[in-house]
Amino acid sequence: MHKAKQAVEEAIAFAKSLGASAAECALSQSRGLSVDSRLGEVETVEFNQDGSLGITVYRGQSKGAAATADLNPDAVRAAVTKANDIARYTSQDPAAGLADAQLMAYDYPDLGLYFDANMDPQHAIDITKACEQAALDKDPRIINSDGANYSAHAGFRVYGNSHGFTGAYMSSRQSLSCVLIGKQGDVMERDYAYTLARDPSQLKRPEEVAAEAIEATVSRLGARSIDTCKVPVIFHRDVAHGLFGHLVAAISGGSLYRKSSFLLDSLHTQVLPSWLNIHEDPHIVGGLASSPFDHEGVRTQARDIVTAGELNTYLLTSYAARKLDMQTTGHAGGIHNWRVSHGDDDLAALCRRMGTGLLLTEVMGQGVNIVTGDYSRGAAGFWVENGELQYPVSEITIAGNLTQMLRSIVAIGNDIDPRHGIQTGSILLEQLSVAGN
């Protein structure tokens, strides 16, 4: 990684020598292994090793950018020269430029994001075969498999700019997944399970993944549609993070300065129930969305995104911040470990609290309008009566508006899903429209 840092610093110095007023450079390298097996046979073994360098050159507030996958010095210099040439001809943009120097993460912590990723092909083959075999041996309703996959990736990122900042960190992650096909009568259903972690010791065992895949697949058998209705709805934890993902999109700077968000002018207003808080902590050791600095070198910091339902901050890059006459929040590149507050109810208790309604385990389609908040998606899950699961449901559509949906959250369960940058349990909403028969 020392040579990568040196390459970034040399690229910036070369840009300055060409007359650039400022420059920033990012270099990333990664290597990985992916293995797919199906019905005991290895289908693919894929190694990858990638690297690229991107350079952005500013001449005043004119900007030029170029990239190269060839990291030898001559190729890097050629990319810098190209970026500089582009900057000569682009228009001035008052919002363009580096993030402010005083915001740089000149001193940043080691967050323990890297573990030795097991990239032995035989290990990967053994673990995928073991997972799939465990799934096929347990339940006669599982009649086929779409295969199992093991993947491992490791790499590093270096970012530097002409403020004199150069930062770097390594990261890794591994995953194991299995997709099964079940049959009841003449109808077949497919579902899956997976485990994901930075630390390989935190991956679930193949047998555990297999058991979860069996349960998910078998539970879908015998699915039916339901009559059109308006009922309470629970977003199962597997899809609940997506609901807050729409909140992320709506309060991100790009949507705001383009005036393409249903939450325009919502800063310091109520957007969620008064009992709900969202805290962001970028510095969780080993966290899947941890980062010591953002993609502009800005130091990341813990912050309360929502307190008592009130929105405390937008999510801004330096460019978006200037467009909005605000300051960057260190979110270039995304969010960092959101933790959503929750109650003491597990999923079963949430169902009892709901009484009669719909438990969603899958949402499909792209029917989300971030400009208006209109929400309409295909869905599948389970019908619930008297707090108990009755039968699986498919071929339905749920609809509402995100402004109201977010405010009508009744409760959040304690079944937190640790596999996402947004960590939330299952979410009970007061009511949604459901289109069925």
Side-chain angles (χ1 to χ4, degrees):
M1 196 156 57
H2 173 73
K3 289 184 177 179
K5 284 185 177 181
Q6 187 176 19
V8 166
E9 291 168 353
E10 289 175 354
I12 293 168
F14 184 57
K16 295 286 286 183
S17 74
L18 296 177
S21 56
E24 58 185 334
C25 181
L27 188 158
S28 61
Q29 286 192 325
S30 65
R31 58 188 177 87
L33 166 71
S34 179
V35 170
D36 290 288
S37 68
R38 181 174 179 272
L39 300 178
E41 299 293 331
V42 177
E43 291 198 325
T44 61
V45 177
E46 180 180 327
F47 290 94
N48 64 75
Q49 185 157 336
D50 301 309
S52 65
L53 178 145
I55 180 76
T56 301
V57 170
Y58 298 93
R59 299 184 70 88
Q61 289 180 299
S62 293
K63 169 184 170 182
T68 177
D70 185 348
L71 302 181
N72 73 64
D74 289 341
V76 171
R77 283 176 170 252
V80 176
T81 301
K82 181 62 69 176
N84 184 64
D85 291 343
I86 293 170
R88 292 178 185 274
Y89 298 103
T90 55
S91 300
Q92 295 278 318
D93 184 344
L98 305 177
D100 294 345
Q102 66 268 26
L103 300 177
M104 295 295 104
Y106 294 110
D107 183 20
Y108 56 88
D110 179 358
L111 299 178
L113 306 182
Y114 175 80
F115 293 83
D116 287 334
N118 194 330
M119 296 193 188
D120 174 21
Q122 191 58 55
H123 167 77
I125 291 168
D126 292 344
I127 201 171
T128 55
K129 285 185 175 182
C131 183
E132 188 183 40
Q133 193 60 52
L136 293 172
D137 285 346
K138 296 295 183 183
D139 194 307
R141 290 170 292 181
I142 300 299
I143 61 160
N144 208 336
S145 165
D146 258 358
N149 171 269
Y150 172 85
S151 66
H153 297 276
F156 63 83
R157 175 179 172 80
V158 179
Y159 171 85
N161 61 34
S162 50
H163 288 323
F165 171 78
T166 305
Y169 60 89
M170 298 180 67
S171 63
S172 64
R173 63 179 59 199
Q174 294 96 80
S175 66
L176 174 66
S177 63
C178 185
V179 184
L180 301 177
I181 299 170
K183 185 177 182 181
Q184 180 173 297
D186 295 328
V187 179
M188 292 187 291
E189 296 284 353
R190 174 189 285 106
D191 215 320
Y192 70 99
Y194 74 97
T195 179
L196 168 71
R198 291 193 186 278
D199 181 352
S201 69
Q202 294 181 1
L203 288 177
K204 292 183 178 180
R205 294 182 297 109
E207 294 77 15
E208 292 178 277
V209 176
E212 290 180 6
I214 291 169
E215 181 180 4
T217 304
V218 167
S219 69
R220 294 174 68 111
L221 295 174
R224 64 183 89 165
S225 188
I226 56 175
D227 292 335
T228 296
C229 55
K230 289 186 176 181
V231 291
V233 170
I234 294 173
F235 281 69
H236 186 273
R237 72 170 200 164
D238 287 350
V239 294
H241 61 92
L243 198 56
F244 287 114
H246 302 314
L247 173 64
V248 171
I251 64 173
S252 293
S255 297
L256 295 167
Y257 76 74
R258 295 185 182 96
K259 299 190 181 302
S260 58
S261 167
F262 68 92
L263 288 178
L264 287 177
D265 303 317
S266 293
L267 195 61
H268 306 307
T269 68
Q270 197 87 13
V271 298
L272 292 165
S274 59
W275 54 267
L276 204 157
N277 304 306
I278 300 176
H279 181 72
E280 180 178 59
D281 187 354
H283 296 165
I284 295 173
V285 175
L288 287 172
S290 294
S291 180
F293 51 85
D294 77 352
H295 286 190
E296 297 180 310
V298 174
R299 58 180 172 270
T300 52
Q301 56 185 297
R303 64 178 73 227
D304 293 319
I305 305 297
V306 173
T307 303
E310 184 175 301
L311 181 64
N312 296 323
T313 181
Y314 292 142
L315 310 176
L316 305 177
T317 65
S318 61
Y319 184 85
R322 293 186 187 110
K323 297 286 281 188
L324 296 168
D325 196 25
M326 301 176 79
Q327 186 179 80
T328 177
T329 57
H331 286 99
I335 63 170
H336 314 288
N337 299 319
W338 276 21
R339 290 184 164 179
V340 181
S341 62
H342 59 85
D344 296 326
D345 289 347
D346 59 13
L347 180 58
L350 273 188
C351 288
R352 290 192 294 271
R353 184 168 179 174
M354 178 172 67
T356 297
L358 191 63
L359 168 62
L360 293 178
T361 57
E362 182 181 12
V363 290
M364 299 158 276
Q366 305 298 319
V368 181
N369 189 326
I370 294 298
V371 180
T372 64
D374 290 339
Y375 184 99
S376 178
R377 304 184 74 182
F382 298 88
W383 185 250
V384 178
E385 288 183 6
N386 299 318
E388 299 291 334
L389 300 187
Q390 299 299 308
Y391 50 82
V393 173
S394 63
E395 298 181 356
I396 59 172
T397 301
I398 56 169
N401 184 276
L402 285 166
T403 302
Q404 181 60 29
M405 290 167 65
L406 292 172
R407 290 177 181 172
S408 67
I409 295 174
V410 175
I412 297 179
N414 62 8
D415 53 335
I416 307 301
D417 190 343
R419 299 170 298 181
H420 298 277
I422 300 173
Q423 296 192 4
T424 178
S426 299
I427 301 173
L428 171 59
L429 269 62
E430 184 177 343
Q431 189 179 79
L432 284 181
S433 296
V434 181
N437 295 324

